[in-house]
Amino acid sequence: MTSAPKPLHWLLIAATLAVLTWSGIAPYDRATWWMEVAPALLALPLLVTTYRRFPLTDLLYCLIALHAIVLMVGGAYTYARVPFGFDLQHWLHLQRNPYDRIGHFMQGFVPALVAREILLRGGHVTGKRMLGFLCLCVVMAISAWYELIEWGAAVALGQGADEFLGTQGDQWDTQSDMLMAMIGGAAALLLLARWQDRQIAAVCGKSRMP
């Protein structure tokens, strides 16, 4: 286990807090900001309290920080108004700002690797195929739960939830969001599994690969 935070980890904390501060100074809609950054606000103290007892890999800490920043930028502008999204819309000749698609892709990409690391290090799964399947199940459960939260916000707030939902008139927005999360999860498992395995072995002091 680690005895003291690495410089990289301090840098990630500083960068994340800096973006959080910038994002919270004057967001487009304060209620939407709270709802968008809530996952990051919940994750940060959890990561701090578990840092010595269950330190994650550097790869995972970097990806979690990146995901938090994506949420904070979306919270500052609302997803349908993020400037970078308008640039993508222009470059790719899209009909809508696609920044929310990036957010949902990350909603699958990062949780898939979080689930994978916990399942591997805990010895809960030994088969590679079952490991991948369960990680994608976790991704889809998180995505479905988030869509239920959006539905609840729509019911409770009515038109006041429009900024949070960010559907931009797309009747299939819920299904598209879940598809992007699944694609993100699958991409993470295909592209980063071996890298994560090496880092897990370094953190644990021995290999626990299935």
Side-chain angles (χ1 to χ4, degrees):
M1 295 300 167
T2 186
S3 58
K6 298 180 180 179
L8 172 64
H9 300 165
W10 285 117
L11 178 62
L12 292 174
I13 292 173
T16 303
L17 291 178
V19 176
L20 176 64
T21 301
W22 162 81
S23 138
I25 289 176
Y28 182 86
D29 181 81
R30 178 62 65 180
T32 299
W33 181 84
W34 279 110
M35 289 188 286
E36 297 293 3
V37 305
L41 296 178
L42 293 172
L44 181 58
L46 179 62
L47 292 174
V48 170
T49 56
T50 60
Y51 183 80
R52 294 186 184 279
R53 179 167 48 89
F54 194 85
L56 302 176
T57 57
D58 289 347
L59 172 65
L60 206 48
Y61 280 129
C62 289
L63 289 174
I64 291 171
L66 178 60
H67 190 188
I69 289 172
V70 169
L71 294 174
M72 293 167 190
V73 172
Y77 294 103
T78 76
Y79 278 80
R81 293 180 174 83
V82 173
F84 176 64
F86 286 124
D87 291 337
L88 285 177
Q89 181 180 2
H90 174 71
W91 296 334
L92 301 176
H93 305 287
L94 303 175
Q95 295 183 344
R96 53 171 282 167
N97 186 319
Y99 189 81
D100 67 319
R101 301 295 189 229
I102 297 174
H104 285 280
F105 179 88
M106 293 297 291
Q107 189 184 71
F109 197 92
V110 179
L113 294 177
V114 173
R116 188 175 186 276
E117 188 154 322
I118 291 173
L119 290 173
L120 273 177
R121 291 174 61 180
H124 304 298
V125 183
T126 57
K128 289 185 177 180
R129 292 181 180 177
M130 181 57 69
L131 175 65
F133 172 72
L134 291 178
C135 289
L136 285 180
C137 286
V138 170
V139 165
M140 296 311 297
I142 293 174
S143 181
W145 178 246
Y146 196 81
E147 295 303 325
L148 288 174
I149 292 174
E150 289 189 347
W151 170 73
V155 171
L157 302 177
Q159 291 186 344
D162 287 349
E163 301 297 345
F164 176 55
L165 298 178
T167 60
Q168 301 181 67
D170 183 1
Q171 64 175 331
W172 304 110
D173 185 70
T174 296
Q175 291 82 357
S176 297
D177 289 347
M178 295 180 70
L179 175 62
M180 288 305 299
M182 184 176 68
I183 292 173
L189 296 175
L190 290 172
L191 297 175
L192 299 180
R194 291 186 179 180
W195 187 3
Q196 187 180 38
D197 287 346
R198 292 193 295 269
Q199 293 207 359
I200 290 175
V203 169
C204 297
K206 62 178 180 178
S207 177
R208 291 189 180 181
M209 303 303 103

